[in-house]
Structures are given as C-alpha cells and as structure tokens.
Amino acid sequence: MPIRLRLREILEERGISQRELARRMNIRPSTISHLCSDKVNAAYFDTLEQICKTLNISLHELLVLEDD
C-alpha cells in the first residue's frame, strides 16, 4: 500500500512557501522541495516529525495511504 505525503497541499492551503517552511525548520529548501514532489520514496521520521511540529499538524494529516 503506497504512502503519499500531502505536504504540497498543506503548504498551499496555509499560504506557506516551501522556502519559508525550510527557513522555519532550519533545513535546506531542496529537502522540502523533494518532499513536496511526487517522487518521494523515503523520508526520515525526524524530518516528518519536525514538519508536523512546525505546521502544528498530526502525522495522520501529513500522510495518505493510497490503494494499489
């Protein structure tokens, strides 16, 4: 069962740029750009946890389980 990140959609809903999120998290903008792409095949749990804390969302809101 594939897992997809909803990061791009959440940022758009909140009017936050990828660069601004990277600045708030003190990480490289390219990391956020990669996580917003459709080509994510791996992510560190620490990074996902930091995204959730920064955006004040749950991991459940960030991840979507898709049907095969």
Side-chain angles (χ1 to χ4, degrees):
M1 180 174 294
I3 298 172
R4 181 177 62 83
L5 292 177
R6 291 191 57 247
L7 184 56
R8 182 182 332 133
E9 293 95 347
I10 293 168
L11 292 177
E12 287 174 3
E13 289 169 3
R14 293 176 179 223
I16 300 172
S17 70
Q18 292 178 23
R19 188 169 295 281
E20 174 61 19
L21 180 60
R23 186 193 65 76
R24 291 181 189 183
M25 293 175 59
N26 196 31
I27 64 174
R28 295 182 332 213
S30 62
T31 300
I32 297 299
S33 177
H34 175 72
L35 293 173
C36 284
S37 76
D38 293 331
K39 298 178 180 153
V40 177
N41 60 2
Y44 290 109
F45 285 117
D46 290 345
T47 303
L48 299 179
E49 181 179 31
Q50 189 178 3
I51 288 169
C52 290
K53 285 181 180 178
T54 302
L55 295 175
N56 195 28
I57 60 174
S58 69
L59 189 58
H60 179 74
E61 293 172 270
L62 182 61
L63 302 177
V64 175
L65 297 175
E66 296 187 330
D67 295 329
D68 288 335

